Amino acid sequence: MTGRLNSAQPYALGLFRIVVGLVFACHGAASIFGVLGGAMGTHGGTVPAGTWPGWYAAAIQLVGGVLVLLGLGTRAAAFVASGSMAYAYFDVHQKAALWPIQNGGDLPVLFCWSFLLLVFTGSGAFGLDTLLARRTGQQKQPAAEQTPVAA
């Protein structure tokens, strides 16, 4: 059973990356373009362009989410996205209460740690990073054959 699960790991990771990137990009699109309910549920409202930190966070969400979704520059995009979510949690949410369940910071925490995971794992299957690496002739070891780090 473990062998089967290990062989499916790059595909599960690729699907995880796609879902996380899509949801993150949707948050950015909602804030910048007012679609999908608008900024923070304002029913079509947007974040004013150039306002700190809201507009910049939305831009990171949109661009970073699309890059992660496509698997293009996944590690770098995930690193920036993870940092933006850590900032969002500590600057906005933790002031209200210590625990994410109390301060409404569940989503930033989950995004932060999800993106940090992608920084260390890479894009998995279905990513443009893998396709471009093959086209440029770089030889990469497939994710399924990589030896996991033992704790």
Side-chain angles (χ1 to χ4, degrees):
M1 174 114 163
T2 301
R4 255 188 213 180
L5 291 174
N6 286 343
S7 67
Q9 182 178 356
Y11 305 105
L13 184 59
L15 292 172
F16 173 78
R17 173 188 47 78
I18 289 167
V19 170
V20 170
L22 177 63
V23 173
F24 201 60
C26 286
H27 279 278
S31 296
I32 292 176
F33 303 120
V35 296
L36 305 170
M40 295 175 268
T42 59
H43 303 292
T46 61
V47 175
T51 57
W52 176 259
W55 186 84
Y56 293 94
I60 289 171
Q61 289 170 350
L62 181 60
V63 174
V66 168
L67 289 172
V68 168
L69 167 68
L70 296 174
L72 186 61
T74 303
R75 291 176 192 255
F79 182 76
V80 172
S82 177
S84 75
M85 288 294 96
Y87 176 84
Y89 179 75
F90 288 111
D91 188 61
V92 177
H93 295 277
Q94 195 173 33
K95 292 176 183 177
L98 176 64
W99 296 102
I101 191 89
Q102 295 173 312
N103 63 30
D106 304 48
L107 199 55
V109 167
L110 289 172
F111 273 130
C112 179
W113 286 100
S114 296
F115 285 122
L116 192 61
L117 176 67
L118 291 172
V119 169
F120 288 97
T121 61
S123 61
F126 317 119
L128 291 180
D129 286 342
T130 308
L131 180 66
L132 292 175
R134 284 187 202 149
R135 281 199 162 177
T136 59
Q138 295 174 355
Q139 296 297 323
K140 284 191 170 183
Q141 187 180 13
E145 296 176 17
Q146 291 177 353
T147 306
V149 178

